[in-house]
């Protein structure tokens, strides 16, 4: 680092004393030749005197001599560069100055001074020339001494204010330009004085005296000056106004930020707020974004400007201020933003045109009306002095209006600011419209989802259930995974989890078809393996009709997976079958976790061997965890059954205060917020009906036993406090037992179950299902099942390996 004393005194110079002189007459003939000219050019005087000076020049420059001679006569001299011929034939560029030399006899003579370029910084210039350069330069130039006080400045510096050069003498920068960061600029000057290193391209922003209400930007360069002994004398600096370039950079930066920060989500209110946030504080001090109410609902609007605001109200969607809590706002986000009829915001909405006011009337009332609490204020009270209003338009439709105010920044909005605001709003308008359209599509998708997935799980006493669903399609919130809980006869319950290929609405629609089919088959009381067999036929037929291959991965029922579980709370027995789907996990009452050894059938519609079911007994308080394979996979390239099961086992072993919390905790632990695959988890904690809720009797194949069966059922209802159901129950028992004895062989068993309803079941060894008949008045029989269907809530038949069960349900108004 250099110091004030350290400086290299050896500098190349160009001085008149170093030049080689010669004389020319008025015609350009050499009349005087000096020793310096001989040493410089290598020609003897005898070779040159009396000849034209053009003979000493290159052919190109010799042709210029008449013009140069004429300019000498007109201007009194000439200076420039010429190529000369040396004595050995070598050609070199020399600096040449020609001045007039009047002789006593009034003859015109020209004095020519020749200097070599080597080692010289350039032209030799007189003080007057240097003063012209400094004084006429459009660049502001100044010199300060080592105390940073002005000792000289040119006229161009006056354009920034502070008076003429003479008024600056002896003053510091802060005295002349109090609106600038004088400390920062002087710090640059001191750095140059201390190190000798020039500073080039230093930019600063502030208010100069010539434009006290306008932010201006300048670029400055600083160089240390020395005396003849190399000691620092001060700092020479230049100033150039780059305000327009600075503002252009600011505009581009603002638009870049807008592109980066606006539209990061598809939430309309968030997008509107992002527009307000981006504009403050770099562009405006207070911004409001008001959207038409139908936009917030995702509704379609009529193209063009808004016709009637009375029928299409505005709502505040976003606002921001340089002040905390946005004190200028008169309505909160989400509230109706009403404006005075004919006010600028209303006109912009009606015409679709922007509006700008450089200086607001300070005594004018704010445009908002119908303000809660009756607040009114003038623009002076709010401190707002300049405004730009831009309608939010996208795809030819007006969506709302954005208002930009300035408060602290004294510079009013100009035409460039209006263009910037329009560009900013137009970019945001596309994002707002995308969010509006997404809202519409998502609302439709959610309606579809609510129609496909259970609104709520049914209330029953067989199991305590909890479910969690997380789709991979973040946009629609829909996927191909599903779960269901279906109440079956005899207090039993069916638990179902499945998935179809793909994501989004197409997959959800395919899932809905499959779920509907499952519920229909469940109503038939078929065993799990038969339910899957029917689903397999349905998926294969659907694939053929749609032309979709089962392994194509396209949304559809073909290639779907499903696990179907039936649990009986009377004896704790559970049967299940799977089609291309992971086997359920079982959390034992002691907290240990195992996985059911369940034979894997092929995916639905793919064809293959028959589905197999397994049966197992579950202790009361065991929890079944039915899940889709998205819960086992950690990524698209990381799917391993053993690794996935280990992670699932560890997650299931963690206890929680409730089954719902445990279910959510497992999904959160194993599935990210944006999973690669849809995730569904259904957890069911088993219960057992108490001995006082079930009564059964084995009956001999004797018609006389029907009366005893009626009496036994009546006595049981009395014990349960259900005497009001005795008449109907006796009728049901009589008809069902009579039919079993009459139409089947083998044992007959009667069972009553008291749960949320009263269930009457009659088992027999027959393989044929009874049919409901509508007898004529002359028929002697055939009215039994008709009476049962009329007096009970539900009735039906289900087949078991040993025969069949005919059942009937009666609702309990006051379950015990």
């Amino acid at each position: 680092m250099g110091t004030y004393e350290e400086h290299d005194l050896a500098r190349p110079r160009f001085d008149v004393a170093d030049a080689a002189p010669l004389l020319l007459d008025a015609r350009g003939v050499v009349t005087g030749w000096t020793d310096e000219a001989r040493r410089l050019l290598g020609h003897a005087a005898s070779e040159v005197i009396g000849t034209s000076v053009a003979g000493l020049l290159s052919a190109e420059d010799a042709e210029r001599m008449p013009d140069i001679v004429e300019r000498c006569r007109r201007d009194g001299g000439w200076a420039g560069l010429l190529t000369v011929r040396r004595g050995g034939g070598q050609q070199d560029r020399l600096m040449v100055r020609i001045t007039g030399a009047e002789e006593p006899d009034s003859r015109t003579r020209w004095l020519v001074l020749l200097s070599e370029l080597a080692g010289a910084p350039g032209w030799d210039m007189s003080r007057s020339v240097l003063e012209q350069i400094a004084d006429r330069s459009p660049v502001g130039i100044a010199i300060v001494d080592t105390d940073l006080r002005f000792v000289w400045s040119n006229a161009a510096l006056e354009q920034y204010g502070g008076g003429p050069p003479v008024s600056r003498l002896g003053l510091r920068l802060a005295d002349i330009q109090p609106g600038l960061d004088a400390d920062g600029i002087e710090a640059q000057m001191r750095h140059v004085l201390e190190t000798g290193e020039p500073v080039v391209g230093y930019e600063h922003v502030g208010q100069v005296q010539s434009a006290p209400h306008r932010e201006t930007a300048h670029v400055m360069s600083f160089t240390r000056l020395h005396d003849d002994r190399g000691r620092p004398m001060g700092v020479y600096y230049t100033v150039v106004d780059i305000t327009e370039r600075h503002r252009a950079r600011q505009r581009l930066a603002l638009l870049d930020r807008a592109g980066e920060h606006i539209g990061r989500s598809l939430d309309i209110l968030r997008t509107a707020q992002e527009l307000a946030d981006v504009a403050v504080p770099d562009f405006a001090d207070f911004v409001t974004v008001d959207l038409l109410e139908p936009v917030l609902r995702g509704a379609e609007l009529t193209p063009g400007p808004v016709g009637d605001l009375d029928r299409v109200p505005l709502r505040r969607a976003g606002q921001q201020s340089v002040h905390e809590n946005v004190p200028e706002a008169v309505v909160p986000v989400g509230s109706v933003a009403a404006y005075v009829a004919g006010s600028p915001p209303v006109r912009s909405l009606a015409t679709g045109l922007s509006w700008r006011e450089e200086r607001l009337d300070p005594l004018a009332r704010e445009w908002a009306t119908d303000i809660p609490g009756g607040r009114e204020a003038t623009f002076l009270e709010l401190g707002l002095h300049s405004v730009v209003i831009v309608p939010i338009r996208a795809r030819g439709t007006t969506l709302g209006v954005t208002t930009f105010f300035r408060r602290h920044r004294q510079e009013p909005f100009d035409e460039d600011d209006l263009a910037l605001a329009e560009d900013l709003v137009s970019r945001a308008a596309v994002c707002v419209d995308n969010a509006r359209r997404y809202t519409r599509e998502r609302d439709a998708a959610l309606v579809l989802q609510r129609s496909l997935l259970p609104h709520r799980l049914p209330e029953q006493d067989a199991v305590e259930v909890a479910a969690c669903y997380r789709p991979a399609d973040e946009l629609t919130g829909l996927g191909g995974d599903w779960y269901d809980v279906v109440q079956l006869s005899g207090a039993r319950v069916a638990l179902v989890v499945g998935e179809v290929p793909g994501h989004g609405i197409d997959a959800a629609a395919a899932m809905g078809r499959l779920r509907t089919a499952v519920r229909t088959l469940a109503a038939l009381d078929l065993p799990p393996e038969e339910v899957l067999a029917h689903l397999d036929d349905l998926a294969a037929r659907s694939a053929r009709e749609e032309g979709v291959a089962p392994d194509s991965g396209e949304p559809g029922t073909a290639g779907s997976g499903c696990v179907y579980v039936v649990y009986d709370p009377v004896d704790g027995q559970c049967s299940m079958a799977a089609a291309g789907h992971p086997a359920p996990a079982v959390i034992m009452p002691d907290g240990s976790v195992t996985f059911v050894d369940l034979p894997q059938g092929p995916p639905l519609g793919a064809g293959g061997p028959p589905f197999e079911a397994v049966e197992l007994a579950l202790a009361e308080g065991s929890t079944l965890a039915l899940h889709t394979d998205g819960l086992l996979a950690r990524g698209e390239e990381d799917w391993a059954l053993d690794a996935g099961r280990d992670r699932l086992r560890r997650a299931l072993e963690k206890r929680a205060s409730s089954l719902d919390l445990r279910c959510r905790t497992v999904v959160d632990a194993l599935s990210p917020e944006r999973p690669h695959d849809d995730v569904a988890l259904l957890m069911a904690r088993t219960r057992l009906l108490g001995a006082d809720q079930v009564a059964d009797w084995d009956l001999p194949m004797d018609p006389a036993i029907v009366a005893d069966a009626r009496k036994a059922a009546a006595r049981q209802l009395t014990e349960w406090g259900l005497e009001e159901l005795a008449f109907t129950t006796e009728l049901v028992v009589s008809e069902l037992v009579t039919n079993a004895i009459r139409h089947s062989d083998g044992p007959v068993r009667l069972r009553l179950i008291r749960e949320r309803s009263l269930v009457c079941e009659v088992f027999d060894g027959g393989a044929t299902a009874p049919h409901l008949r509508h007898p004529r008045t002359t028929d002697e029989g055939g009215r039994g099942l008709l009476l049962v269907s009329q007096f009970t809530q539900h009735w039906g038949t289900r087949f078991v390996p040993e025969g069949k069960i005919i059942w009937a349900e009666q609702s309990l108004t006051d379950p015990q």
Side-chain angles (χ1 to χ4, degrees):
M1 179 181 294
T3 63
Y4 283 11
E5 288 75 19
E6 295 174 352
H7 187 66
D8 185 4
L9 298 180
R11 301 187 213 166
R13 296 172 177 268
F14 176 48
D15 198 313
V16 173
D18 300 324
L22 59 96
L23 286 174
L24 303 178
D25 65 10
R27 298 170 300 164
V29 175
V30 179
T31 59
W33 193 255
T34 63
D35 289 339
E36 291 83 357
R38 178 182 58 79
R39 286 193 297 269
L40 179 62
L41 299 182
H43 297 287
S46 60
E47 300 174 0
V48 178
I49 292 177
T51 65
S52 173
V53 71
L56 299 174
L57 303 176
S58 66
E60 180 182 354
D61 284 348
E63 295 178 358
R64 297 172 56 198
M65 278 309 299
D67 179 62
I68 293 174
V69 171
E70 179 61 30
R71 292 176 64 181
C72 288
R73 291 194 186 102
R74 185 182 71 242
D75 302 330
W78 179 86
L81 300 177
L82 294 174
T83 301
V84 299
R85 296 178 177 179
R86 294 184 184 271
Q90 179 184 358
Q91 294 187 3
D92 286 312
R93 298 282 283 177
L94 298 180
M95 288 189 289
V96 181
R97 173 180 290 178
I98 303 175
T99 59
E102 294 293 333
E103 294 292 330
D105 56 3
S106 298
R107 290 180 300 171
T108 300
R109 294 286 187 272
W110 301 104
L111 173 64
V112 180
L113 301 175
L114 306 176
S115 296
E116 291 187 285
L117 288 173
W123 248 18
D124 172 34
M125 286 175 283
S126 64
R127 174 171 178 165
S128 65
V129 174
L130 292 173
E131 287 177 349
Q132 291 178 57
I133 293 173
D135 195 52
R136 296 181 183 179
S137 170
V139 176
I141 304 173
I143 299 174
V144 296
D145 60 17
T146 53
D147 292 328
L148 308 184
R149 297 185 179 277
F150 283 92
V151 295
W152 180 86
S153 61
N154 69 344
L157 204 61
E158 292 185 48
Q159 64 183 302
Y160 306 111
V166 67
S167 66
R168 300 173 183 268
L169 296 177
L171 300 179
R172 297 273 290 271
L173 184 60
D175 302 326
I176 299 170
Q177 299 287 359
L180 297 181
D181 178 17
D183 292 338
I185 297 173
E186 289 187 347
Q188 300 296 320
M189 296 179 184
R190 291 192 180 93
H191 173 78
V192 172
L193 281 173
E194 292 171 0
T195 66
E197 300 173 354
V199 172
V200 179
Y202 173 74
E203 294 186 14
H204 69 91
V205 179
Q207 282 83 30
V208 296
Q209 287 289 79
S210 59
H213 301 305
R214 178 175 178 265
E215 188 177 73
T216 56
H218 306 89
V219 61
M220 304 180 71
S221 296
F222 306 89
T223 304
R224 189 169 75 179
L225 297 176
H226 312 82
D227 60 17
D228 290 339
R229 298 181 61 184
R231 294 175 300 188
M233 297 171 53
V235 175
Y236 161 87
Y237 73 83
T238 60
V239 185
V240 177
D241 189 330
I242 59 167
T243 300
E244 292 307 316
R245 186 173 71 187
H246 173 72
R247 296 184 68 183
R249 285 203 310 258
Q250 283 185 316
R251 294 186 183 100
L252 289 176
L254 180 61
L255 293 175
D256 285 343
R257 286 198 304 276
E260 181 180 353
H261 293 95
I262 299 177
R264 291 179 294 180
S265 72
L266 288 171
D267 181 88
I268 297 177
L269 289 178
R270 181 175 175 183
T271 302
Q273 186 60 49
E274 288 167 349
L275 168 58
D277 292 342
V278 163
V280 175
D282 292 334
F283 181 69
D285 298 321
F286 172 47
V287 176
T288 64
V289 181
D290 300 320
L291 297 176
L292 297 171
E293 195 169 76
V295 173
L296 299 176
R297 301 196 306 266
E300 285 290 347
L301 299 177
T302 303
V306 179
D308 187 357
L309 277 179
D310 292 335
R311 292 185 301 168
V312 189
L314 286 167
R315 284 195 179 271
R316 181 64 45 86
Q319 56 191 17
Q320 188 55 274
S321 168
V322 292
H323 295 100
E324 188 176 358
N325 299 323
V326 198
E328 303 93 336
V330 296
V331 294
V333 171
S335 298
V336 174
Y339 290 97
V340 176
S343 62
V346 173
R347 291 202 304 270
S348 288
L349 284 168
T351 62
L353 301 176
S354 301
W355 185 78
R356 176 178 66 92
E357 185 68 28
E358 289 190 5
R359 293 296 176 187
L360 287 166
D361 181 358
L363 300 181
R365 296 286 178 183
E366 58 190 353
W367 302 311
T369 184
D370 297 334
I371 303 167
R375 170 186 168 185
E376 291 187 4
T378 63
F379 288 117
L380 177 62
E381 292 169 337
L382 294 174
L384 306 175
H385 65 83
S386 188
V387 66
V388 164
I389 301 175
V390 181
I392 303 172
R393 292 176 53 81
R395 301 177 178 92
T397 301
T398 299
L399 307 175
V401 65
T402 303
T403 308
F404 303 89
F405 288 100
R406 281 186 176 167
R407 178 173 182 169
H408 295 295
R409 185 184 300 191
Q410 295 303 311
E411 182 180 357
F413 288 113
D414 57 20
E415 286 294 336
D416 290 338
D417 291 324
L418 176 60
L420 176 60
E422 289 177 335
D423 199 356
L424 187 66
V425 172
S426 67
R427 296 186 181 206
V430 174
C431 298
V432 170
D433 193 47
N434 287 340
R436 177 194 64 81
R437 299 171 74 179
Y438 162 71
T439 298
R440 181 189 62 195
E441 298 298 332
R442 187 172 187 273
D443 287 346
L446 291 177
V447 171
L448 174 63
Q449 181 187 42
R450 285 192 291 268
S451 68
L452 298 179
L453 291 177
H455 293 190
R456 59 182 180 85
L457 297 175
E459 296 181 0
Q460 36 73 42
D461 293 335
V463 290
E464 177 190 356
V465 291
C468 187
Y469 172 73
R470 183 166 293 170
D473 192 333
E474 183 185 22
L475 184 66
T476 63
L478 290 178
D481 291 9
W482 94 94
Y483 59 88
D484 210 346
V485 177
V486 185
Q487 290 178 284
L488 303 177
S489 63
R492 297 169 307 133
V493 66
L495 309 171
V496 193
V497 166
E499 58 184 320
V500 301
H503 311 291
I505 293 180
D506 291 340
M511 172 267 286
R513 296 196 300 270
L514 203 57
R515 176 175 175 263
T516 301
V518 169
R519 293 184 70 88
T520 301
L521 293 170
L524 299 178
D525 257 336
L526 299 175
E529 66 274 19
E530 292 190 28
V531 170
L532 295 184
H534 285 289
L535 287 176
D536 183 61
D537 292 339
L538 175 66
R541 184 167 59 252
S542 176
R544 288 193 299 269
E545 293 173 352
E546 297 173 3
V548 177
D551 57 352
S552 66
E554 297 182 19
T557 54
S560 301
C562 181
V563 60
Y564 188 88
V565 179
V566 175
Y567 173 70
D568 191 339
V570 175
D571 55 11
Q573 289 295 313
C574 178
S575 62
M576 64 183 70
H581 199 86
V586 179
I587 307 172
M588 307 305 288
D590 61 3
S592 61
V593 178
T594 62
F595 289 89
V596 178
D597 185 12
L598 180 63
Q600 277 296 310
L604 299 176
F611 298 101
E612 297 182 43
V614 298
E615 293 192 6
L616 63 155
L618 295 177
E620 185 174 14
S622 301
T623 302
L624 281 166
L626 286 69
H627 59 88
T628 55
D629 58 14
L631 201 61
L632 301 179
R634 179 158 289 179
E636 294 179 355
E637 304 296 333
D638 178 24
W639 194 95
L641 181 61
D642 292 339
R645 280 187 168 182
D646 287 341
R647 290 193 295 268
L648 178 57
R649 177 183 289 107
R650 290 192 297 271
L652 291 173
E653 287 173 346
K654 296 180 180 179
R655 298 182 180 274
S657 58
S658 67
L659 191 63
D660 280 331
L661 179 59
R662 193 172 197 175
C663 187
R664 291 196 303 271
T665 301
V666 170
V667 173
D668 289 341
L670 300 181
S671 175
E673 291 185 1
R674 299 178 62 181
H676 297 281
D677 194 9
D678 302 329
V679 172
L681 174 63
L682 177 66
M683 300 184 73
R685 183 178 295 149
T686 62
R687 298 170 176 147
L688 285 177
L689 298 183
D692 60 340
Q693 293 181 273
V694 182
D696 57 4
W697 301 268
D698 289 322
L699 304 176
M701 295 293 292
D702 183 357
I705 202 64
V706 174
D708 294 336
R710 288 198 304 266
K711 293 177 183 179
R715 285 194 300 269
Q716 187 62 55
L717 292 183
T718 300
E719 291 182 15
W720 285 343
L722 300 176
E723 294 89 346
E724 69 276 8
L725 299 179
F727 173 78
T728 302
T729 303
E730 288 185 43
L731 173 63
V732 171
V733 169
S734 177
E735 294 298 333
L736 297 185
V737 172
T738 299
N739 283 342
I741 294 174
R742 179 180 300 172
H743 300 292
S744 65
D745 297 325
V748 175
R749 187 167 57 250
L750 169 65
R751 182 167 72 172
L752 296 179
I753 301 173
R754 177 178 59 85
E755 192 213 20
R756 293 176 181 267
S757 60
L758 177 64
V759 182
C760 177
E761 295 182 339
V762 174
F763 163 83
D764 64 61
T768 59
H771 297 285
L772 182 64
R773 295 172 56 190
H774 296 277
R776 292 172 295 182
T777 56
T778 57
D779 290 343
E780 295 182 359
R783 294 180 176 83
L785 287 180
L786 179 60
L787 292 175
V788 170
S789 67
Q790 295 295 318
F791 282 93
T792 60
Q793 189 175 12
H794 304 289
W795 77 278
T797 304
R798 71 175 182 270
F799 290 91
V800 294
E802 302 84 5
K804 68 177 182 296
I805 296 174
I806 304 177
W807 56 269
E809 280 187 15
Q810 300 176 69
S811 62
L812 299 180
T813 57
D814 185 19
Q816 299 296 311

